[in-house]
Amino acid sequence: PGGASAARASDEDAQLNEAIQRSLADAPPSPPAPPTPEAPVDQWRTEGSDLLGLELSRTENDGGASVRAVVVSWLPADESDFLDADGRPAALYKIRYLDGDLAGDHQDLEAYEVEESTDAPDAPARSRFKYVYPPKSSRGSWTTCIKVNNISTTAGCHRTQEDAARAIDALLLHHGKRAVNFPGEEEATRAAFPDIGARVSRGRQPAAAARPKPRPRPKAPRAAKKPAPKRRT
């Protein structure tokens, strides 16, 4: 009798294991684990720059056809981790191609690249900032000039008008005055031109007040001429 009980218990265990295996096979697969959230990306701005919305003319690849593009967003210099050729923080502008093989693609450009794509060959450049003056030739630099404490002062020549405008602001901040081109971005402006006080070159000093000219001495009155005597005929 004891052997029969053991055999029945073994059969029941086998049947139970078989039922468990069938239930596991029929059960739907467990859902996949949720993906690990990625690190947040930079939030590109869609307002706050005069370059937004500009239509550009770009060259497709190297020496390819001319295609149209538009500036759709940007990152200020203090929010971008990009450094320009001089190792300074620089703003980035995202453009979207409108036609050609690159239609729909995006590309990040610096400010000077955007400006080079907007200037028409025969159109004179115009400044959008205060105390910044356009180059006299297509390969020239943007110049600066401002009066600080009644002294004509320059903040240097720069490849782009954005750099020139920020240099003007850095010069004003150096002298304890308010920024006029990028208000609210004082920290980025100081970081871009930390040595502006040592680099600026001063213009001519204001002329001293002219001395009054001495009054000319009055001339002595001329003696009246005596009439010549008449000759007798």
PDB file of all heavy atoms in Angstrom, residues 41-46 49 51-56 58 69-76 80 91-97 104-111 113-114:
ATOM      1  N   VAL A  41      18.055  67.198 -24.723  1.00  0.00           N
ATOM      2  CA  VAL A  41      18.844  67.871 -25.745  1.00  0.00           C
ATOM      3  C   VAL A  41      18.661  69.375 -25.614  1.00  0.00           C
ATOM      4  O   VAL A  41      17.765  69.852 -24.935  1.00  0.00           O
ATOM      5  CB  VAL A  41      18.410  67.413 -27.157  1.00  0.00           C
ATOM      6  CG1 VAL A  41      18.673  65.942 -27.330  1.00  0.00           C
ATOM      7  CG2 VAL A  41      16.933  67.712 -27.390  1.00  0.00           C
ATOM      8  N   ASP A  42      19.565  70.104 -26.272  1.00  0.00           N
ATOM      9  CA  ASP A  42      19.469  71.565 -26.244  1.00  0.00           C
ATOM     10  C   ASP A  42      18.153  72.015 -26.867  1.00  0.00           C
ATOM     11  O   ASP A  42      17.725  71.500 -27.892  1.00  0.00           O
ATOM     12  CB  ASP A  42      20.634  72.178 -27.004  1.00  0.00           C
ATOM     13  CG  ASP A  42      21.957  71.940 -26.298  1.00  0.00           C
ATOM     14  OD1 ASP A  42      21.930  71.895 -25.059  1.00  0.00           O
ATOM     15  OD2 ASP A  42      22.985  71.790 -26.982  1.00  0.00           O
ATOM     16  N   GLN A  43      17.513  72.981 -26.243  1.00  0.00           N
ATOM     17  CA  GLN A  43      16.257  73.522 -26.752  1.00  0.00           C
ATOM     18  C   GLN A  43      16.570  74.705 -27.663  1.00  0.00           C
ATOM     19  O   GLN A  43      16.976  75.764 -27.210  1.00  0.00           O
ATOM     20  CB  GLN A  43      15.360  73.944 -25.581  1.00  0.00           C
ATOM     21  CG  GLN A  43      14.966  72.808 -24.656  1.00  0.00           C
ATOM     22  CD  GLN A  43      14.118  71.762 -25.386  1.00  0.00           C
ATOM     23  OE1 GLN A  43      13.275  72.099 -26.201  1.00  0.00           O
ATOM     24  NE2 GLN A  43      14.353  70.502 -25.076  1.00  0.00           N
ATOM     25  N   TRP A  44      16.407  74.502 -28.957  1.00  0.00           N
ATOM     26  CA  TRP A  44      16.670  75.565 -29.922  1.00  0.00           C
ATOM     27  C   TRP A  44      15.559  76.600 -29.842  1.00  0.00           C
ATOM     28  O   TRP A  44      14.389  76.263 -29.727  1.00  0.00           O
ATOM     29  CB  TRP A  44      16.752  74.984 -31.329  1.00  0.00           C
ATOM     30  CG  TRP A  44      17.977  74.153 -31.548  1.00  0.00           C
ATOM     31  CD1 TRP A  44      18.207  72.899 -31.072  1.00  0.00           C
ATOM     32  CD2 TRP A  44      19.139  74.525 -32.279  1.00  0.00           C
ATOM     33  NE1 TRP A  44      19.450  72.463 -31.468  1.00  0.00           N
ATOM     34  CE2 TRP A  44      20.034  73.445 -32.213  1.00  0.00           C
ATOM     35  CE3 TRP A  44      19.508  75.658 -32.999  1.00  0.00           C
ATOM     36  CZ2 TRP A  44      21.281  73.469 -32.833  1.00  0.00           C
ATOM     37  CZ3 TRP A  44      20.743  75.690 -33.620  1.00  0.00           C
ATOM     38  CH2 TRP A  44      21.616  74.600 -33.533  1.00  0.00           C
ATOM     39  N   ARG A  45      15.935  77.857 -29.925  1.00  0.00           N
ATOM     40  CA  ARG A  45      14.966  78.947 -29.823  1.00  0.00           C
ATOM     41  C   ARG A  45      14.385  79.284 -31.192  1.00  0.00           C
ATOM     42  O   ARG A  45      15.057  79.182 -32.217  1.00  0.00           O
ATOM     43  CB  ARG A  45      15.631  80.190 -29.235  1.00  0.00           C
ATOM     44  CG  ARG A  45      16.122  80.014 -27.805  1.00  0.00           C
ATOM     45  CD  ARG A  45      16.505  81.351 -27.228  1.00  0.00           C
ATOM     46  NE  ARG A  45      16.981  81.242 -25.863  1.00  0.00           N
ATOM     47  CZ  ARG A  45      17.229  82.289 -25.077  1.00  0.00           C
ATOM     48  NH1 ARG A  45      17.038  83.510 -25.531  1.00  0.00           N
ATOM     49  NH2 ARG A  45      17.661  82.119 -23.845  1.00  0.00           N
ATOM     50  N   THR A  46      13.154  79.717 -31.179  1.00  0.00           N
ATOM     51  CA  THR A  46      12.486  80.126 -32.416  1.00  0.00           C
ATOM     52  C   THR A  46      12.127  81.608 -32.402  1.00  0.00           C
ATOM     53  O   THR A  46      11.317  82.063 -33.201  1.00  0.00           O
ATOM     54  CB  THR A  46      11.203  79.290 -32.631  1.00  0.00           C
ATOM     55  OG1 THR A  46      10.364  79.410 -31.476  1.00  0.00           O
ATOM     56  CG2 THR A  46      11.553  77.825 -32.856  1.00  0.00           C
ATOM     57  N   SER A  49      16.107  86.418 -32.444  1.00  0.00           N
ATOM     58  CA  SER A  49      17.207  86.733 -33.355  1.00  0.00           C
ATOM     59  C   SER A  49      16.640  87.294 -34.651  1.00  0.00           C
ATOM     60  O   SER A  49      15.635  86.803 -35.177  1.00  0.00           O
ATOM     61  CB  SER A  49      18.052  85.487 -33.655  1.00  0.00           C
ATOM     62  OG  SER A  49      19.010  85.768 -34.670  1.00  0.00           O
ATOM     63  N   LEU A  51      17.950  86.964 -37.468  1.00  0.00           N
ATOM     64  CA  LEU A  51      18.251  86.074 -38.585  1.00  0.00           C
ATOM     65  C   LEU A  51      17.169  85.017 -38.806  1.00  0.00           C
ATOM     66  O   LEU A  51      17.154  84.361 -39.858  1.00  0.00           O
ATOM     67  CB  LEU A  51      19.592  85.379 -38.355  1.00  0.00           C
ATOM     68  CG  LEU A  51      20.819  86.284 -38.257  1.00  0.00           C
ATOM     69  CD1 LEU A  51      22.078  85.468 -38.067  1.00  0.00           C
ATOM     70  CD2 LEU A  51      20.946  87.167 -39.493  1.00  0.00           C
ATOM     71  N   LEU A  52      16.275  84.846 -37.837  1.00  0.00           N
ATOM     72  CA  LEU A  52      15.227  83.836 -37.971  1.00  0.00           C
ATOM     73  C   LEU A  52      14.305  84.181 -39.139  1.00  0.00           C
ATOM     74  O   LEU A  52      13.895  85.332 -39.306  1.00  0.00           O
ATOM     75  CB  LEU A  52      14.418  83.734 -36.681  1.00  0.00           C
ATOM     76  CG  LEU A  52      15.144  83.105 -35.483  1.00  0.00           C
ATOM     77  CD1 LEU A  52      14.307  83.249 -34.224  1.00  0.00           C
ATOM     78  CD2 LEU A  52      15.459  81.647 -35.744  1.00  0.00           C
ATOM     79  N   GLY A  53      13.992  83.172 -39.946  1.00  0.00           N
ATOM     80  CA  GLY A  53      13.088  83.375 -41.062  1.00  0.00           C
ATOM     81  C   GLY A  53      13.744  83.862 -42.338  1.00  0.00           C
ATOM     82  O   GLY A  53      13.077  83.960 -43.370  1.00  0.00           O
ATOM     83  N   LEU A  54      15.049  84.166 -42.283  1.00  0.00           N
ATOM     84  CA  LEU A  54      15.721  84.633 -43.488  1.00  0.00           C
ATOM     85  C   LEU A  54      15.838  83.495 -44.504  1.00  0.00           C
ATOM     86  O   LEU A  54      16.152  82.357 -44.155  1.00  0.00           O
ATOM     87  CB  LEU A  54      17.116  85.153 -43.149  1.00  0.00           C
ATOM     88  CG  LEU A  54      17.209  86.523 -42.479  1.00  0.00           C
ATOM     89  CD1 LEU A  54      18.668  86.874 -42.258  1.00  0.00           C
ATOM     90  CD2 LEU A  54      16.543  87.590 -43.319  1.00  0.00           C
ATOM     91  N   GLU A  55      15.601  83.820 -45.765  1.00  0.00           N
ATOM     92  CA  GLU A  55      15.807  82.850 -46.833  1.00  0.00           C
ATOM     93  C   GLU A  55      17.243  82.964 -47.330  1.00  0.00           C
ATOM     94  O   GLU A  55      17.744  84.067 -47.566  1.00  0.00           O
ATOM     95  CB  GLU A  55      14.820  83.075 -47.971  1.00  0.00           C
ATOM     96  CG  GLU A  55      13.403  82.639 -47.635  1.00  0.00           C
ATOM     97  CD  GLU A  55      12.566  82.416 -48.883  1.00  0.00           C
ATOM     98  OE1 GLU A  55      13.151  82.433 -49.994  1.00  0.00           O
ATOM     99  OE2 GLU A  55      11.346  82.235 -48.753  1.00  0.00           O
ATOM    100  N   LEU A  56      17.892  81.823 -47.474  1.00  0.00           N
ATOM    101  CA  LEU A  56      19.299  81.776 -47.853  1.00  0.00           C
ATOM    102  C   LEU A  56      19.447  81.125 -49.219  1.00  0.00           C
ATOM    103  O   LEU A  56      18.585  80.378 -49.669  1.00  0.00           O
ATOM    104  CB  LEU A  56      20.103  80.987 -46.828  1.00  0.00           C
ATOM    105  CG  LEU A  56      19.840  81.277 -45.354  1.00  0.00           C
ATOM    106  CD1 LEU A  56      20.706  80.386 -44.478  1.00  0.00           C
ATOM    107  CD2 LEU A  56      20.078  82.740 -45.036  1.00  0.00           C
ATOM    108  N   ARG A  58      22.170  78.655 -50.754  1.00  0.00           N
ATOM    109  CA  ARG A  58      23.308  77.808 -50.409  1.00  0.00           C
ATOM    110  C   ARG A  58      23.719  76.977 -51.622  1.00  0.00           C
ATOM    111  O   ARG A  58      22.925  76.744 -52.528  1.00  0.00           O
ATOM    112  CB  ARG A  58      22.952  76.878 -49.255  1.00  0.00           C
ATOM    113  CG  ARG A  58      22.534  77.605 -47.989  1.00  0.00           C
ATOM    114  CD  ARG A  58      23.726  78.127 -47.223  1.00  0.00           C
ATOM    115  NE  ARG A  58      24.576  77.024 -46.776  1.00  0.00           N
ATOM    116  CZ  ARG A  58      25.783  77.205 -46.234  1.00  0.00           C
ATOM    117  NH1 ARG A  58      26.274  78.422 -46.119  1.00  0.00           N
ATOM    118  NH2 ARG A  58      26.489  76.179 -45.827  1.00  0.00           N
ATOM    119  N   ALA A  69      17.283  77.802 -48.709  1.00  0.00           N
ATOM    120  CA  ALA A  69      17.160  77.325 -47.336  1.00  0.00           C
ATOM    121  C   ALA A  69      16.570  78.449 -46.497  1.00  0.00           C
ATOM    122  O   ALA A  69      16.507  79.603 -46.937  1.00  0.00           O
ATOM    123  CB  ALA A  69      18.504  76.878 -46.781  1.00  0.00           C
ATOM    124  N   VAL A  70      16.148  78.135 -45.280  1.00  0.00           N
ATOM    125  CA  VAL A  70      15.566  79.135 -44.393  1.00  0.00           C
ATOM    126  C   VAL A  70      16.065  78.873 -42.974  1.00  0.00           C
ATOM    127  O   VAL A  70      16.267  77.716 -42.584  1.00  0.00           O
ATOM    128  CB  VAL A  70      14.022  79.092 -44.447  1.00  0.00           C
ATOM    129  CG1 VAL A  70      13.496  77.753 -43.976  1.00  0.00           C
ATOM    130  CG2 VAL A  70      13.413  80.219 -43.643  1.00  0.00           C
ATOM    131  N   VAL A  71      16.300  79.949 -42.228  1.00  0.00           N
ATOM    132  CA  VAL A  71      16.731  79.831 -40.830  1.00  0.00           C
ATOM    133  C   VAL A  71      15.504  79.552 -39.970  1.00  0.00           C
ATOM    134  O   VAL A  71      14.558  80.345 -39.957  1.00  0.00           O
ATOM    135  CB  VAL A  71      17.438  81.111 -40.359  1.00  0.00           C
ATOM    136  CG1 VAL A  71      17.921  80.957 -38.918  1.00  0.00           C
ATOM    137  CG2 VAL A  71      18.607  81.455 -41.273  1.00  0.00           C
ATOM    138  N   VAL A  72      15.510  78.432 -39.244  1.00  0.00           N
ATOM    139  CA  VAL A  72      14.325  78.025 -38.495  1.00  0.00           C
ATOM    140  C   VAL A  72      14.490  78.156 -36.984  1.00  0.00           C
ATOM    141  O   VAL A  72      13.501  78.297 -36.256  1.00  0.00           O
ATOM    142  CB  VAL A  72      13.922  76.580 -38.850  1.00  0.00           C
ATOM    143  CG1 VAL A  72      13.481  76.489 -40.302  1.00  0.00           C
ATOM    144  CG2 VAL A  72      15.067  75.600 -38.585  1.00  0.00           C
ATOM    145  N   SER A  73      15.714  78.105 -36.461  1.00  0.00           N
ATOM    146  CA  SER A  73      15.903  78.216 -35.012  1.00  0.00           C
ATOM    147  C   SER A  73      17.359  78.576 -34.737  1.00  0.00           C
ATOM    148  O   SER A  73      18.203  78.569 -35.648  1.00  0.00           O
ATOM    149  CB  SER A  73      15.516  76.915 -34.288  1.00  0.00           C
ATOM    150  OG  SER A  73      16.247  75.824 -34.810  1.00  0.00           O
ATOM    151  N   TRP A  74      17.654  78.854 -33.480  1.00  0.00           N
ATOM    152  CA  TRP A  74      19.024  79.237 -33.129  1.00  0.00           C
ATOM    153  C   TRP A  74      19.308  78.944 -31.672  1.00  0.00           C
ATOM    154  O   TRP A  74      18.394  78.728 -30.859  1.00  0.00           O
ATOM    155  CB  TRP A  74      19.241  80.717 -33.434  1.00  0.00           C
ATOM    156  CG  TRP A  74      18.644  81.663 -32.449  1.00  0.00           C
ATOM    157  CD1 TRP A  74      17.332  81.763 -32.094  1.00  0.00           C
ATOM    158  CD2 TRP A  74      19.332  82.654 -31.661  1.00  0.00           C
ATOM    159  NE1 TRP A  74      17.146  82.756 -31.164  1.00  0.00           N
ATOM    160  CE2 TRP A  74      18.355  83.316 -30.869  1.00  0.00           C
ATOM    161  CE3 TRP A  74      20.655  83.043 -31.562  1.00  0.00           C
ATOM    162  CZ2 TRP A  74      18.681  84.338 -29.996  1.00  0.00           C
ATOM    163  CZ3 TRP A  74      20.984  84.067 -30.678  1.00  0.00           C
ATOM    164  CH2 TRP A  74      20.003  84.711 -29.918  1.00  0.00           C
ATOM    165  N   LEU A  75      20.593  78.932 -31.316  1.00  0.00           N
ATOM    166  CA  LEU A  75      21.067  78.800 -29.942  1.00  0.00           C
ATOM    167  C   LEU A  75      21.997  79.966 -29.640  1.00  0.00           C
ATOM    168  O   LEU A  75      22.991  80.159 -30.343  1.00  0.00           O
ATOM    169  CB  LEU A  75      21.830  77.482 -29.742  1.00  0.00           C
ATOM    170  CG  LEU A  75      21.022  76.232 -29.412  1.00  0.00           C
ATOM    171  CD1 LEU A  75      21.948  75.034 -29.300  1.00  0.00           C
ATOM    172  CD2 LEU A  75      20.239  76.405 -28.125  1.00  0.00           C
ATOM    173  N   PRO A  76      21.707  80.782 -28.609  1.00  0.00           N
ATOM    174  CA  PRO A  76      22.625  81.871 -28.252  1.00  0.00           C
ATOM    175  C   PRO A  76      23.978  81.327 -27.820  1.00  0.00           C
ATOM    176  O   PRO A  76      24.129  80.148 -27.479  1.00  0.00           O
ATOM    177  CB  PRO A  76      21.901  82.574 -27.092  1.00  0.00           C
ATOM    178  CG  PRO A  76      20.475  82.139 -27.194  1.00  0.00           C
ATOM    179  CD  PRO A  76      20.495  80.768 -27.774  1.00  0.00           C
ATOM    180  N   SER A  80      24.998  77.602 -26.241  1.00  0.00           N
ATOM    181  CA  SER A  80      25.611  76.668 -27.173  1.00  0.00           C
ATOM    182  C   SER A  80      26.969  76.234 -26.637  1.00  0.00           C
ATOM    183  O   SER A  80      27.693  77.010 -26.019  1.00  0.00           O
ATOM    184  CB  SER A  80      25.777  77.341 -28.546  1.00  0.00           C
ATOM    185  OG  SER A  80      26.622  76.582 -29.374  1.00  0.00           O
ATOM    186  N   ALA A  91      27.173  81.618 -31.260  1.00  0.00           N
ATOM    187  CA  ALA A  91      25.793  81.202 -31.506  1.00  0.00           C
ATOM    188  C   ALA A  91      25.743  80.283 -32.727  1.00  0.00           C
ATOM    189  O   ALA A  91      26.601  80.345 -33.608  1.00  0.00           O
ATOM    190  CB  ALA A  91      24.907  82.425 -31.728  1.00  0.00           C
ATOM    191  N   LEU A  92      24.736  79.435 -32.755  1.00  0.00           N
ATOM    192  CA  LEU A  92      24.508  78.538 -33.885  1.00  0.00           C
ATOM    193  C   LEU A  92      23.110  78.777 -34.441  1.00  0.00           C
ATOM    194  O   LEU A  92      22.177  79.064 -33.680  1.00  0.00           O
ATOM    195  CB  LEU A  92      24.658  77.077 -33.465  1.00  0.00           C
ATOM    196  CG  LEU A  92      26.070  76.556 -33.244  1.00  0.00           C
ATOM    197  CD1 LEU A  92      26.035  75.103 -32.799  1.00  0.00           C
ATOM    198  CD2 LEU A  92      26.918  76.700 -34.510  1.00  0.00           C
ATOM    199  N   TYR A  93      22.977  78.636 -35.746  1.00  0.00           N
ATOM    200  CA  TYR A  93      21.703  78.835 -36.421  1.00  0.00           C
ATOM    201  C   TYR A  93      21.379  77.578 -37.236  1.00  0.00           C
ATOM    202  O   TYR A  93      22.198  77.117 -38.032  1.00  0.00           O
ATOM    203  CB  TYR A  93      21.758  80.064 -37.334  1.00  0.00           C
ATOM    204  CG  TYR A  93      21.980  81.335 -36.569  1.00  0.00           C
ATOM    205  CD1 TYR A  93      23.263  81.736 -36.208  1.00  0.00           C
ATOM    206  CD2 TYR A  93      20.909  82.130 -36.168  1.00  0.00           C
ATOM    207  CE1 TYR A  93      23.472  82.893 -35.476  1.00  0.00           C
ATOM    208  CE2 TYR A  93      21.109  83.289 -35.444  1.00  0.00           C
ATOM    209  CZ  TYR A  93      22.390  83.661 -35.097  1.00  0.00           C
ATOM    210  OH  TYR A  93      22.601  84.803 -34.380  1.00  0.00           O
ATOM    211  N   LYS A  94      20.190  77.041 -37.003  1.00  0.00           N
ATOM    212  CA  LYS A  94      19.763  75.830 -37.716  1.00  0.00           C
ATOM    213  C   LYS A  94      18.951  76.237 -38.946  1.00  0.00           C
ATOM    214  O   LYS A  94      17.997  77.003 -38.841  1.00  0.00           O
ATOM    215  CB  LYS A  94      18.925  74.939 -36.804  1.00  0.00           C
ATOM    216  CG  LYS A  94      18.568  73.581 -37.433  1.00  0.00           C
ATOM    217  CD  LYS A  94      17.781  72.723 -36.470  1.00  0.00           C
ATOM    218  CE  LYS A  94      18.626  72.295 -35.282  1.00  0.00           C
ATOM    219  NZ  LYS A  94      19.733  71.378 -35.702  1.00  0.00           N
ATOM    220  N   ILE A  95      19.353  75.729 -40.100  1.00  0.00           N
ATOM    221  CA  ILE A  95      18.641  76.029 -41.333  1.00  0.00           C
ATOM    222  C   ILE A  95      18.003  74.746 -41.874  1.00  0.00           C
ATOM    223  O   ILE A  95      18.469  73.641 -41.585  1.00  0.00           O
ATOM    224  CB  ILE A  95      19.569  76.649 -42.399  1.00  0.00           C
ATOM    225  CG1 ILE A  95      20.582  75.602 -42.896  1.00  0.00           C
ATOM    226  CG2 ILE A  95      20.277  77.870 -41.848  1.00  0.00           C
ATOM    227  CD1 ILE A  95      21.373  76.061 -44.110  1.00  0.00           C
ATOM    228  N   ARG A  96      16.938  74.910 -42.661  1.00  0.00           N
ATOM    229  CA  ARG A  96      16.281  73.784 -43.328  1.00  0.00           C
ATOM    230  C   ARG A  96      16.297  74.047 -44.829  1.00  0.00           C
ATOM    231  O   ARG A  96      15.914  75.119 -45.293  1.00  0.00           O
ATOM    232  CB  ARG A  96      14.839  73.617 -42.857  1.00  0.00           C
ATOM    233  CG  ARG A  96      14.152  72.394 -43.466  1.00  0.00           C
ATOM    234  CD  ARG A  96      12.729  72.205 -42.972  1.00  0.00           C
ATOM    235  NE  ARG A  96      11.823  73.227 -43.463  1.00  0.00           N
ATOM    236  CZ  ARG A  96      11.274  74.166 -42.721  1.00  0.00           C
ATOM    237  NH1 ARG A  96      11.519  74.216 -41.426  1.00  0.00           N
ATOM    238  NH2 ARG A  96      10.458  75.070 -43.248  1.00  0.00           N
ATOM    239  N   TYR A  97      16.780  73.067 -45.577  1.00  0.00           N
ATOM    240  CA  TYR A  97      16.825  73.200 -47.038  1.00  0.00           C
ATOM    241  C   TYR A  97      15.421  73.039 -47.611  1.00  0.00           C
ATOM    242  O   TYR A  97      14.652  72.180 -47.179  1.00  0.00           O
ATOM    243  CB  TYR A  97      17.784  72.170 -47.625  1.00  0.00           C
ATOM    244  CG  TYR A  97      19.231  72.494 -47.365  1.00  0.00           C
ATOM    245  CD1 TYR A  97      19.905  71.955 -46.272  1.00  0.00           C
ATOM    246  CD2 TYR A  97      19.920  73.373 -48.202  1.00  0.00           C
ATOM    247  CE1 TYR A  97      21.231  72.267 -46.032  1.00  0.00           C
ATOM    248  CE2 TYR A  97      21.246  73.693 -47.960  1.00  0.00           C
ATOM    249  CZ  TYR A  97      21.902  73.137 -46.876  1.00  0.00           C
ATOM    250  OH  TYR A  97      23.214  73.459 -46.626  1.00  0.00           O
ATOM    251  N   GLY A 104      14.466  69.321 -46.954  1.00  0.00           N
ATOM    252  CA  GLY A 104      14.021  68.746 -45.688  1.00  0.00           C
ATOM    253  C   GLY A 104      15.137  68.497 -44.696  1.00  0.00           C
ATOM    254  O   GLY A 104      14.865  68.322 -43.502  1.00  0.00           O
ATOM    255  N   ASP A 105      16.384  68.495 -45.161  1.00  0.00           N
ATOM    256  CA  ASP A 105      17.515  68.278 -44.257  1.00  0.00           C
ATOM    257  C   ASP A 105      17.829  69.568 -43.502  1.00  0.00           C
ATOM    258  O   ASP A 105      17.495  70.671 -43.939  1.00  0.00           O
ATOM    259  CB  ASP A 105      18.745  67.824 -45.031  1.00  0.00           C
ATOM    260  CG  ASP A 105      18.605  66.415 -45.574  1.00  0.00           C
ATOM    261  OD1 ASP A 105      17.615  65.748 -45.197  1.00  0.00           O
ATOM    262  OD2 ASP A 105      19.454  65.989 -46.379  1.00  0.00           O
ATOM    263  N   HIS A 106      18.494  69.396 -42.351  1.00  0.00           N
ATOM    264  CA  HIS A 106      18.887  70.537 -41.518  1.00  0.00           C
ATOM    265  C   HIS A 106      20.408  70.627 -41.446  1.00  0.00           C
ATOM    266  O   HIS A 106      21.110  69.625 -41.617  1.00  0.00           O
ATOM    267  CB  HIS A 106      18.310  70.413 -40.110  1.00  0.00           C
ATOM    268  CG  HIS A 106      16.819  70.533 -40.054  1.00  0.00           C
ATOM    269  ND1 HIS A 106      15.973  69.487 -40.365  1.00  0.00           N
ATOM    270  CD2 HIS A 106      16.019  71.590 -39.727  1.00  0.00           C
ATOM    271  CE1 HIS A 106      14.723  69.878 -40.225  1.00  0.00           C
ATOM    272  NE2 HIS A 106      14.716  71.146 -39.842  1.00  0.00           N
ATOM    273  N   GLN A 107      20.874  71.839 -41.188  1.00  0.00           N
ATOM    274  CA  GLN A 107      22.306  72.073 -41.019  1.00  0.00           C
ATOM    275  C   GLN A 107      22.501  73.211 -40.035  1.00  0.00           C
ATOM    276  O   GLN A 107      21.706  74.156 -39.996  1.00  0.00           O
ATOM    277  CB  GLN A 107      22.964  72.413 -42.361  1.00  0.00           C
ATOM    278  CG  GLN A 107      24.484  72.550 -42.281  1.00  0.00           C
ATOM    279  CD  GLN A 107      25.094  72.890 -43.633  1.00  0.00           C
ATOM    280  OE1 GLN A 107      24.394  73.090 -44.623  1.00  0.00           O
ATOM    281  NE2 GLN A 107      26.418  72.947 -43.688  1.00  0.00           N
ATOM    282  N   ASP A 108      23.551  73.116 -39.226  1.00  0.00           N
ATOM    283  CA  ASP A 108      23.870  74.157 -38.251  1.00  0.00           C
ATOM    284  C   ASP A 108      24.969  75.049 -38.816  1.00  0.00           C
ATOM    285  O   ASP A 108      26.016  74.560 -39.277  1.00  0.00           O
ATOM    286  CB  ASP A 108      24.340  73.536 -36.931  1.00  0.00           C
ATOM    287  CG  ASP A 108      23.266  72.656 -36.306  1.00  0.00           C
ATOM    288  OD1 ASP A 108      22.100  72.789 -36.697  1.00  0.00           O
ATOM    289  OD2 ASP A 108      23.609  71.824 -35.436  1.00  0.00           O
ATOM    290  N   LEU A 109      24.747  76.362 -38.763  1.00  0.00           N
ATOM    291  CA  LEU A 109      25.696  77.330 -39.298  1.00  0.00           C
ATOM    292  C   LEU A 109      26.045  78.361 -38.247  1.00  0.00           C
ATOM    293  O   LEU A 109      25.282  78.597 -37.313  1.00  0.00           O
ATOM    294  CB  LEU A 109      25.107  78.051 -40.522  1.00  0.00           C
ATOM    295  CG  LEU A 109      24.659  77.202 -41.714  1.00  0.00           C
ATOM    296  CD1 LEU A 109      24.092  78.104 -42.800  1.00  0.00           C
ATOM    297  CD2 LEU A 109      25.790  76.356 -42.248  1.00  0.00           C
ATOM    298  N   GLU A 110      27.202  79.000 -38.437  1.00  0.00           N
ATOM    299  CA  GLU A 110      27.560  80.168 -37.637  1.00  0.00           C
ATOM    300  C   GLU A 110      26.930  81.410 -38.264  1.00  0.00           C
ATOM    301  O   GLU A 110      26.466  81.386 -39.408  1.00  0.00           O
ATOM    302  CB  GLU A 110      29.074  80.323 -37.556  1.00  0.00           C
ATOM    303  CG  GLU A 110      29.779  79.247 -36.773  1.00  0.00           C
ATOM    304  CD  GLU A 110      31.255  79.524 -36.648  1.00  0.00           C
ATOM    305  OE1 GLU A 110      31.623  80.524 -35.996  1.00  0.00           O
ATOM    306  OE2 GLU A 110      32.056  78.764 -37.217  1.00  0.00           O
ATOM    307  N   ALA A 111      26.970  82.496 -37.503  1.00  0.00           N
ATOM    308  CA  ALA A 111      26.319  83.719 -37.978  1.00  0.00           C
ATOM    309  C   ALA A 111      26.931  84.213 -39.277  1.00  0.00           C
ATOM    310  O   ALA A 111      26.215  84.646 -40.187  1.00  0.00           O
ATOM    311  CB  ALA A 111      26.400  84.800 -36.897  1.00  0.00           C
ATOM    312  N   GLU A 113      28.295  82.526 -41.620  1.00  0.00           N
ATOM    313  CA  GLU A 113      27.886  81.673 -42.730  1.00  0.00           C
ATOM    314  C   GLU A 113      26.469  82.027 -43.182  1.00  0.00           C
ATOM    315  O   GLU A 113      26.161  81.984 -44.382  1.00  0.00           O
ATOM    316  CB  GLU A 113      27.968  80.206 -42.320  1.00  0.00           C
ATOM    317  CG  GLU A 113      29.382  79.734 -42.041  1.00  0.00           C
ATOM    318  CD  GLU A 113      29.423  78.305 -41.527  1.00  0.00           C
ATOM    319  OE1 GLU A 113      28.855  78.048 -40.437  1.00  0.00           O
ATOM    320  OE2 GLU A 113      30.009  77.448 -42.204  1.00  0.00           O
ATOM    321  N   VAL A 114      25.608  82.362 -42.223  1.00  0.00           N
ATOM    322  CA  VAL A 114      24.256  82.784 -42.583  1.00  0.00           C
ATOM    323  C   VAL A 114      24.314  84.092 -43.370  1.00  0.00           C
ATOM    324  O   VAL A 114      23.647  84.250 -44.403  1.00  0.00           O
ATOM    325  CB  VAL A 114      23.388  82.942 -41.324  1.00  0.00           C
ATOM    326  CG1 VAL A 114      22.035  83.542 -41.672  1.00  0.00           C
ATOM    327  CG2 VAL A 114      23.199  81.596 -40.634  1.00  0.00           C
TER     328      VAL A 114
END
